[in-house]
């Protein structure tokens, strides 16, 4: 027990004209509504209260997105696409026709994003109402893949680039490209909330344990994930901090991994490539 004297509160409204509502005005809240759809996809609605804008991240399912809009009472104004795959952009045109929303997506993949209105990339970023949205080009899964981060709230939507304890398959890019992309994401603050597009966590944990069987954090996260999945609860979002501790694709510099792969002298990109190769046949 401590007996610290209680400091008197400073009340000087002239010098400090802040109040709760004023603070909220400066930093209007963002709400995220997450919903499962298709086999193992997650859809997300992102809503800015102040501007009454609502974006869906990708369009895996028109019906599920419409249901989510009905559940929240929000009106769709934007689609933010991460990449062109059917389970991410397949609902674009129908949703646009139904709602008149604006489609935002990778400028470098304009030809493959149905109905694209605004092409964005690392240089342009994006503004969602008053919110600054950082865009990163993350080639690897596809060449045009991008990810979004709502800067002030540290909410990231990473599509099929990063999964909890995994990463996207390399359909178009090289391992080196994907490793570079993941490093960009790793430069975000540790407390960044990572919203992935799929619930792949349990399978990813099984694989991760083959790469790093003695990682205590990984062992305990794997059992937490098993508990959540047994109850049919989502394991997503995750945090960048948790991923740095448990995701083998973010850990090619770790001694245990390098040792078990017999790659002690390899570069991080080479170790990453080997882990990705093993996951492809796991
Ligand atoms: Zn994909
Ligand atoms: Fe996908």
């Amino acid at each position: 027990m401590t007996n610290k004297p209680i400091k008197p509160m400073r009340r000087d409204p002239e010098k400090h004209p802040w109040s709760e509502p004023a603070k909220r005005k400066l930093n209007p809240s963002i709400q995220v509504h997450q919903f499962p759809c298709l086999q193992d996809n997650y859809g997300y609605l992102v809503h800015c209260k102040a501007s009454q804008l609502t974006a869906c991240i990708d369009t895996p399912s028109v019906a599920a997105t419409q249901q989510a809009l009905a559940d929240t009472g929000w009106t769709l104004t934007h689609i933010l696409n991460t990449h062109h795959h059917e389970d991410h952009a397949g609902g674009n045109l129908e949703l646009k026709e139904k709602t008149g929303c604006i489609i935002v997506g990778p400028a470098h993949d304009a030809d493959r994003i149905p109905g694209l209105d605004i092409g964005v990339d690392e240089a342009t970023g994006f503004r969602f109402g008053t919110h600054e949205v950082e865009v990163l080009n993350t080639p690897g899964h596809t060449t045009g893949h991008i990810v979004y981060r709502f800067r002030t709230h540290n909410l990231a939507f990473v599509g099929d680039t990063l999964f909890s304890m995994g990463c996207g398959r390399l359909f178009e890019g090289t391992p080196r490209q994907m490793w570079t992309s993941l490093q960009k994401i790793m430069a975000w603050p540790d407390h960044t909330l990572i919203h992935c597009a799929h619930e792949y966590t349990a399978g990813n944990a099984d694989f991760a344990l083959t790469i790093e069987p003695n990682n205590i954090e990984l062992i305990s996260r794997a059992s937490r994930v098993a508990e959540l999945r047994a109850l049919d609860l989502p394991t997503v979002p995750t945090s960048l901090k948790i991923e740095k501790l448990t995701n083998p694709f973010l850990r090619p510099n770790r001694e245990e991994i390098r040792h078990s792969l017999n790659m002690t002298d390899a570069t991080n990109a080479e170790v990453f490539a080997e882990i990705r190769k093993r996951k492809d046949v796991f």
Side-chain angles (χ1 to χ4, degrees), residues 222-244:
S223 71
R224 276 203 309 281
V225 163
E227 283 167 22
L228 287 169
R229 294 311 297 148
L231 298 168
D232 209 22
L233 292 171
T235 64
V236 173
T238 174
S239 77
L240 188 56
K241 184 178 181 179
I242 290 173
E243 294 312 308
K244 283 181 177 176

Side-chain angles (χ1 to χ4, degrees), residues 41 83 85 87-88 141 159-160 163 197-198 200:
N41 279 74
H83 65 297
H85 283 160
D87 63 317
H88 296 262
H141 179 67
D160 288 355
F163 295 122
H198 291 271
Y200 288 159

Side-chain angles (χ1 to χ4, degrees), residues 158-174:
V158 296
D160 288 355
T161 292
L162 177 64
F163 295 122
S164 187
M165 290 186 271
C167 76
R169 249 172 218 277
L170 304 182
F171 286 116
E172 298 177 0
T174 65

